[in-house]
Amino acid sequence: MIETPDGSRTAFSARFGEAYGSRHGAQTQARHVFVEGTGTHGHPAPRVLEIGFGLGVNFRATLADTAARGVGLDYVAYEFDPAPANWLREVAVGEPGADRPAWQAMLAQWPNAPRRIEAQNVRLTVHFSDVLAADLPQGWATALYLDGFSPSRNPEVWTPEFVARLAGALAPGGILATYSAAGHVRRSLAAAGLNVERRPGAPGKRECLRAVR
């Protein structure tokens, strides 16, 4: 476990050799890069597709936001290598969204089937599978969180071919957000037909990216 400067926690993945979330503030990154970066914090009925569920920090941040606003949430995530349930519990202690029924119901099942959760206007599906071989929902997502491990550690989810598939999963006007600002990632997003914008990064990163279909 890693305590980050904003008081939230993340953990180190031995498989990929880096932390699941920002060491400079895991919760701050979730809110700034993904929830706000995709405009989900203002959407009346967000449909979120996440690549890399990790420790569930982005889901909890999104869940806390939609619950506070009283709007529904559809959330579909792909996770190839699910973390132990006790890690998810530990990083969530005292954090936004940790007390919500959907999060508690998910923890009660993790990591066993079934993994579709419906609770208080929240629908969550977590696929424990290789997203590279998955049939992604076409034209569905109002927001796409591209939060795999870094391009140097997990290059497969940052290739131009896969990014083009992600672009196809976005609804018209949908927004993809990622913490990465690497030039090749930016070029792949643009080549997929998305309008790419640089944004100020979360603490520890000068920039992040958002890309609009």
Side-chain angles (χ1 to χ4, degrees), residues 69-70 101 113:
R69 296 189 292 121

Side-chain angles (χ1 to χ4, degrees), residues 30-109:
R31 177 77 188 182
H32 173 77
V33 174
F34 297 106
V35 180
E36 295 177 358
T38 59
T40 295
H41 65 310
H43 199 286
R47 301 186 303 274
V48 178
L49 175 62
E50 180 174 31
I51 308 303
F53 188 80
L55 302 176
V57 178
N58 295 333
F59 171 65
R60 280 193 291 99
T62 308
L63 178 62
D65 172 82
T66 54
R69 296 189 292 121
V71 302
L73 173 63
D74 282 289
Y75 203 103
V76 175
Y78 286 85
E79 176 55 55
F80 178 70
D81 188 21
N86 63 302
W87 288 20
L88 275 70
R89 290 190 181 93
E90 187 170 343
V91 299
V93 172
E95 291 296 305
D99 60 343
R100 304 303 304 174
W103 176 257
Q104 294 297 323
M106 187 208 73
L107 283 180
Q109 296 184 9

Side-chain angles (χ1 to χ4, degrees), residues 60-175:
R60 280 193 291 99
T62 308
L63 178 62
D65 172 82
T66 54
R69 296 189 292 121
V71 302
L73 173 63
D74 282 289
Y75 203 103
V76 175
Y78 286 85
E79 176 55 55
F80 178 70
D81 188 21
N86 63 302
W87 288 20
L88 275 70
R89 290 190 181 93
E90 187 170 343
V91 299
V93 172
E95 291 296 305
D99 60 343
R100 304 303 304 174
W103 176 257
Q104 294 297 323
M106 187 208 73
L107 283 180
Q109 296 184 9
W110 193 273
N112 301 308
R115 290 180 290 275
R116 180 173 172 84
I117 303 296
E118 295 195 27
Q120 291 190 347
N121 209 20
V122 176
R123 289 158 296 281
L124 166 67
T125 304
V126 183
H127 298 282
F128 293 161
S129 61
D130 184 357
V131 70
L132 301 176
D135 292 325
L136 300 178
Q138 293 298 293
W140 178 80
T142 63
L144 198 154
Y145 299 170
L146 178 50
D147 195 23
F149 288 99
S150 67
S152 63
R153 301 285 185 172
N154 188 27
E156 293 86 356
V157 299
W158 305 91
T159 65
E161 295 77 15
F162 185 64
V163 168
R165 292 182 57 208
L166 295 180
L170 286 169
I175 301 172

